[in-house]
Coordinates of all heavy atoms in Angstrom, one line a residue:
L120 N 0.8 -1.2 0.0 CA 0.0 0.0 0.0 C 0.8 1.3 0.0 O 0.6 2.2 -0.8 CB -1.0 0.0 1.2 CG -2.3 -0.8 1.0 CD1 -3.0 -0.8 2.3 CD2 -3.1 -0.3 -0.1
P121 N 1.8 1.4 0.9 CA 2.6 2.7 0.8 C 3.3 2.9 -0.5 O 3.5 4.0 -0.9 CB 3.6 2.5 2.0 CG 3.0 1.5 2.9 CD 2.3 0.5 2.0
L122 N 3.7 1.8 -1.1 CA 4.4 1.9 -2.4 C 3.5 2.4 -3.5 O 3.8 3.2 -4.3 CB 5.1 0.6 -2.8 CG 6.1 0.0 -1.8 CD1 6.6 -1.4 -2.2 CD2 7.2 0.9 -1.6
I123 N 2.3 1.9 -3.4 CA 1.3 2.3 -4.4 C 0.9 3.7 -4.3 O 0.8 4.5 -5.2 CB 0.0 1.4 -4.3 CG1 0.3 -0.1 -4.6 CG2 -1.1 1.9 -5.2 CD1 -0.8 -1.0 -4.4
V124 N 0.7 4.2 -3.0 CA 0.4 5.6 -2.7 C 1.5 6.5 -3.2 O 1.2 7.6 -3.7 CB 0.1 5.7 -1.2 CG1 -0.1 7.2 -0.9 CG2 -1.1 5.0 -0.8
Q125 N 2.7 6.1 -3.0 CA 3.9 7.0 -3.3 C 4.3 6.9 -4.8 O 5.2 7.5 -5.2 CB 5.1 6.6 -2.5 CG 4.8 6.9 -1.0 CD 6.0 6.5 -0.1 OE1 7.2 6.8 -0.5 NE2 5.8 5.9 1.0
G126 N 3.5 6.1 -5.6 CA 3.8 6.0 -7.0 C 5.0 5.2 -7.3 O 5.7 5.5 -8.3
A127 N 5.4 4.2 -6.5 CA 6.6 3.5 -6.8 C 6.4 2.6 -8.0 O 5.3 2.3 -8.4 CB 6.9 2.5 -5.6
P128 N 7.5 2.3 -8.7 CA 7.4 1.4 -9.9 C 6.7 0.1 -9.6 O 6.8 -0.5 -8.5 CB 8.9 1.2 -10.3 CG 9.7 2.3 -9.6 CD 8.9 2.6 -8.3
M129 N 6.0 -0.4 -10.6 CA 5.2 -1.6 -10.4 C 6.1 -2.8 -10.0 O 5.7 -3.6 -9.2 CB 4.4 -1.9 -11.6 CG 3.4 -3.0 -11.5 SD 2.2 -2.8 -10.1 CE 1.4 -1.3 -10.6
W130 N 7.3 -2.8 -10.6 CA 8.2 -4.0 -10.3 C 8.5 -4.0 -8.8 O 8.7 -5.1 -8.2 CB 9.4 -3.9 -11.2 CG 10.4 -2.8 -10.9 CD1 10.5 -1.6 -11.5 CD2 11.4 -2.8 -9.8 NE1 11.4 -0.8 -10.9 CE2 12.0 -1.5 -9.9 CE3 11.8 -3.7 -8.9 CZ2 13.1 -1.2 -9.0 CZ3 12.8 -3.4 -8.0 CH2 13.5 -2.1 -8.1
L131 N 8.6 -2.8 -8.2 CA 9.0 -2.7 -6.8 C 7.8 -3.2 -6.0 O 8.0 -3.9 -4.9 CB 9.4 -1.3 -6.4 CG 9.9 -1.1 -5.0 CD1 11.0 -2.0 -4.6 CD2 10.2 0.4 -4.8
V132 N 6.6 -2.8 -6.4 CA 5.4 -3.3 -5.6 C 5.3 -4.8 -5.7 O 5.1 -5.5 -4.6 CB 4.1 -2.7 -6.2 CG1 2.9 -3.2 -5.5 CG2 4.2 -1.1 -6.1
W133 N 5.5 -5.4 -6.9 CA 5.4 -6.8 -7.0 C 6.6 -7.5 -6.2 O 6.4 -8.5 -5.6 CB 5.5 -7.2 -8.5 CG 4.2 -7.1 -9.2 CD1 3.8 -6.0 -10.0 CD2 3.1 -8.0 -9.2 NE1 2.6 -6.2 -10.5 CE2 2.1 -7.4 -10.0 CE3 2.9 -9.2 -8.7 CZ2 0.9 -8.0 -10.3 CZ3 1.7 -9.9 -8.9 CH2 0.7 -9.3 -9.7
A134 N 7.8 -6.9 -6.3 CA 8.9 -7.5 -5.6 C 8.7 -7.5 -4.1 O 9.1 -8.5 -3.4 CB 10.2 -6.8 -6.0
T135 N 8.2 -6.4 -3.6 CA 8.0 -6.3 -2.2 C 6.9 -7.3 -1.7 O 7.1 -8.0 -0.7 CB 7.5 -4.9 -1.8 OG1 8.5 -3.9 -2.2 CG2 7.2 -4.8 -0.3
A136 N 5.8 -7.4 -2.4 CA 4.8 -8.4 -2.1 C 5.4 -9.8 -2.1 O 5.1 -10.7 -1.3 CB 3.6 -8.3 -3.0
A137 N 6.2 -10.1 -3.1 CA 6.8 -11.4 -3.3 C 7.7 -11.7 -2.1 O 7.7 -12.8 -1.6 CB 7.5 -11.5 -4.6
C138 N 8.5 -10.7 -1.7 CA 9.4 -10.9 -0.6 C 8.7 -11.2 0.7 O 9.1 -12.1 1.5 CB 10.3 -9.7 -0.4 SG 11.6 -9.6 -1.7
V139 N 7.6 -10.4 0.9 CA 6.8 -10.6 2.1 C 6.2 -12.0 2.2 O 6.1 -12.6 3.3 CB 5.7 -9.6 2.2 CG1 4.7 -9.9 3.3 CG2 6.3 -8.2 2.4
N140 N 5.9 -12.6 1.0 CA 5.3 -13.9 1.0 C 6.2 -15.0 0.8 O 5.8 -16.2 0.5 CB 4.2 -13.9 -0.1 CG 2.9 -13.2 0.4 OD1 2.6 -13.1 1.6 ND2 2.1 -12.8 -0.6
L141 N 7.5 -14.8 0.8 CA 8.5 -15.8 0.6 C 8.3 -17.0 1.7 O 8.7 -18.1 1.4 CB 9.9 -15.3 0.7 CG 10.5 -14.7 -0.5 CD1 11.9 -14.1 -0.3 CD2 10.6 -15.8 -1.6
R142 N 7.8 -16.6 2.8 CA 7.7 -17.7 3.9 C 6.8 -18.8 3.4 O 6.9 -19.9 3.9 CB 7.2 -17.0 5.2 CG 5.8 -16.5 5.1 CD 5.5 -15.6 6.3 NE 4.1 -15.2 6.3 CZ 3.6 -14.2 5.6 NH1 4.4 -13.5 4.8 NH2 2.3 -13.8 5.7
F143 N 5.9 -18.5 2.5 CA 4.9 -19.5 2.0 C 5.6 -20.6 1.2 O 5.1 -21.7 1.0 CB 3.8 -18.9 1.3 CG 2.8 -18.2 2.2 CD1 2.8 -16.8 2.4 CD2 1.9 -18.9 3.0 CE1 1.9 -16.2 3.2 CE2 1.0 -18.3 3.9 CZ 1.0 -16.9 4.0
V144 N 6.8 -20.2 0.6 CA 7.6 -21.3 -0.1 C 8.0 -22.3 0.9 O 7.9 -23.5 0.7 CB 8.8 -20.6 -0.8 CG1 9.6 -21.7 -1.4 CG2 8.3 -19.6 -1.8
I145 N 8.4 -21.9 2.1 CA 8.8 -22.8 3.2 C 7.6 -23.6 3.7 O 7.7 -24.8 3.9 CB 9.5 -22.0 4.3 CG1 10.8 -21.3 3.8 CG2 9.9 -23.0 5.4 CD1 11.4 -20.4 4.8
F146 N 6.5 -22.9 3.9 CA 5.3 -23.5 4.3 C 4.9 -24.6 3.3 O 4.5 -25.7 3.7 CB 4.2 -22.5 4.5 CG 4.4 -21.5 5.6 CD1 3.6 -20.4 5.7 CD2 5.4 -21.7 6.5 CE1 3.8 -19.5 6.8 CE2 5.6 -20.8 7.6 CZ 4.8 -19.7 7.7
S147 N 4.9 -24.3 2.1 CA 4.5 -25.2 1.0 C 5.4 -26.5 1.0 O 4.9 -27.6 0.9 CB 4.5 -24.6 -0.3 OG 3.6 -23.5 -0.4
A148 N 6.7 -26.3 1.2 CA 7.6 -27.4 1.3 C 7.2 -28.3 2.5 O 7.3 -29.5 2.5 CB 9.0 -27.0 1.4
G149 N 6.8 -27.7 3.6 CA 6.4 -28.4 4.8 C 5.1 -29.2 4.6 O 4.9 -30.3 5.2
W150 N 4.2 -28.6 3.8 CA 2.9 -29.2 3.6 C 3.0 -30.3 2.5 O 2.1 -31.2 2.4 CB 1.9 -28.2 3.2 CG 1.0 -27.8 4.3 CD1 0.3 -28.6 5.2 CD2 0.6 -26.4 4.6 NE1 -0.5 -27.8 6.0 CE2 -0.3 -26.5 5.7 CE3 0.9 -25.2 4.1 CZ2 -0.8 -25.4 6.3 CZ3 0.4 -24.0 4.7 CH2 -0.5 -24.1 5.8
R151 N 4.0 -30.3 1.7 CA 4.0 -31.2 0.6 C 3.9 -32.7 0.9 O 3.2 -33.4 0.3 CB 5.3 -31.0 -0.2 CG 5.5 -31.9 -1.5 CD 6.7 -31.6 -2.2 NE 6.9 -32.5 -3.3 CZ 6.3 -32.4 -4.5 NH1 5.5 -31.3 -4.7 NH2 6.5 -33.2 -5.5
P152 N 4.6 -33.2 2.0 CA 4.4 -34.6 2.3 C 3.0 -35.0 2.7 O 2.6 -36.1 2.5 CB 5.3 -34.8 3.5 CG 6.3 -33.7 3.4 CD 5.5 -32.5 2.9
Y153 N 2.2 -34.0 3.1 CA 0.8 -34.3 3.5 C -0.2 -34.2 2.4 O -1.1 -35.0 2.3 CB 0.4 -33.3 4.6 CG 1.2 -33.2 5.8 CD1 2.3 -32.3 5.9 CD2 1.0 -34.1 6.9 CE1 3.1 -32.3 7.1 CE2 1.7 -34.0 8.1 CZ 2.8 -33.1 8.1 OH 3.6 -33.1 9.3
F154 N 0.0 -33.2 1.5 CA -1.0 -32.9 0.5 C -0.4 -33.0 -1.0 O -1.2 -32.6 -1.9 CB -1.6 -31.5 0.7 CG -2.2 -31.3 2.1 CD1 -2.1 -30.2 2.8 CD2 -3.0 -32.4 2.6 CE1 -2.7 -30.0 4.0 CE2 -3.6 -32.2 3.8 CZ -3.4 -31.1 4.6
G155 N 0.8 -33.4 -1.1 CA 1.4 -33.4 -2.5 C 0.7 -34.3 -3.4 O 0.8 -34.1 -4.6
H156 N 0.0 -35.3 -2.9 CA -0.6 -36.3 -3.8 C -2.0 -35.9 -4.3 O -2.6 -36.6 -5.1 CB -0.8 -37.6 -3.0 CG -1.7 -37.5 -1.8 ND1 -1.3 -36.9 -0.6 CD2 -3.0 -37.9 -1.6 CE1 -2.3 -36.9 0.3 NE2 -3.3 -37.5 -0.3
R157 N -2.5 -34.8 -3.8 CA -3.9 -34.4 -4.1 C -4.0 -33.7 -5.5 O -3.0 -33.3 -6.0 CB -4.4 -33.4 -3.0 CG -4.6 -34.1 -1.7 CD -5.4 -33.3 -0.7 NE -5.9 -34.1 0.4 CZ -7.0 -34.8 0.4 NH1 -7.9 -34.7 -0.5 NH2 -7.3 -35.5 1.5
P158 N -5.2 -33.7 -6.0 CA -5.4 -33.1 -7.4 C -5.0 -31.6 -7.4 O -5.0 -30.9 -6.4 CB -6.9 -33.2 -7.6 CG -7.3 -34.3 -6.7 CD -6.4 -34.3 -5.5
F159 N -4.7 -31.1 -8.6 CA -4.2 -29.8 -8.7 C -5.2 -28.7 -8.2 O -4.8 -27.8 -7.5 CB -3.9 -29.4 -10.2 CG -3.6 -28.0 -10.5 CD1 -2.3 -27.6 -10.2 CD2 -4.5 -27.1 -10.9 CE1 -1.9 -26.2 -10.4 CE2 -4.2 -25.8 -11.1 CZ -2.9 -25.3 -10.9
W160 N -6.5 -28.9 -8.4 CA -7.4 -27.9 -8.0 C -7.5 -27.8 -6.5 O -7.7 -26.7 -5.9 CB -8.8 -28.1 -8.6 CG -9.5 -29.3 -8.0 CD1 -9.5 -30.6 -8.4 CD2 -10.4 -29.3 -6.8 NE1 -10.3 -31.4 -7.6 CE2 -10.9 -30.7 -6.7 CE3 -10.8 -28.3 -5.9 CZ2 -11.7 -31.0 -5.6 CZ3 -11.7 -28.7 -4.9 CH2 -12.1 -30.0 -4.8
Q161 N -7.3 -29.0 -5.8 CA -7.3 -29.0 -4.3 C -6.0 -28.3 -3.8 O -6.1 -27.5 -2.8 CB -7.4 -30.4 -3.8 CG -8.7 -31.0 -4.0 CD -8.8 -32.4 -3.3 OE1 -7.9 -32.9 -2.7 NE2 -10.0 -33.0 -3.4
K162 N -4.9 -28.5 -4.5 CA -3.7 -27.8 -4.0 C -3.7 -26.3 -4.3 O -3.2 -25.5 -3.5 CB -2.5 -28.5 -4.8 CG -2.1 -29.9 -4.3 CD -0.9 -30.4 -4.8 CE -1.0 -30.8 -6.3 NZ 0.2 -31.6 -6.8
A163 N -4.4 -25.9 -5.4 CA -4.6 -24.5 -5.7 C -5.4 -23.9 -4.6 O -5.1 -22.7 -4.2 CB -5.2 -24.3 -7.1
A164 N -6.5 -24.5 -4.2 CA -7.4 -24.0 -3.2 C -6.6 -23.9 -1.8 O -6.7 -22.9 -1.1 CB -8.6 -24.9 -3.0
H165 N -5.8 -24.9 -1.6 CA -5.0 -24.9 -0.4 C -4.0 -23.7 -0.4 O -3.8 -23.0 0.6 CB -4.2 -26.2 -0.3 CG -3.2 -26.3 0.8 ND1 -1.9 -25.8 0.7 CD2 -3.3 -26.7 2.1 CE1 -1.3 -25.9 1.8 NE2 -2.1 -26.5 2.7
A166 N -3.4 -23.5 -1.6 CA -2.4 -22.4 -1.7 C -3.1 -21.0 -1.4 O -2.5 -20.1 -0.8 CB -1.8 -22.4 -3.0

């Protein structure tokens, strides 16, 4: 939000949001043994 308000470049907005959500890469790796076998649409809903 502050980046959007200040007119920051779009790449910076996307990069910031991606960095903030990097932890979900680790979470996904932790969930994989439990739900990795499920259909794609279920994994997408889970994500």
Side-chain angles (χ1 to χ4, degrees):
L120 279 176
L122 301 178
I123 295 173
V124 172
Q125 296 179 42
M129 187 55 63
W130 68 266
L131 182 58
V132 176
W133 281 96
T135 300
C138 286
V139 171
N140 282 337
L141 273 178
R142 66 193 187 281
F143 286 102
V144 176
I145 301 174
F146 294 167
S147 297
W150 260 312
R151 182 178 177 82
Y153 302 93
F154 302 139
H156 64 284
R157 290 194 167 268
F159 173 80
W160 71 268
Q161 290 187 357
K162 289 187 286 188
H165 173 276

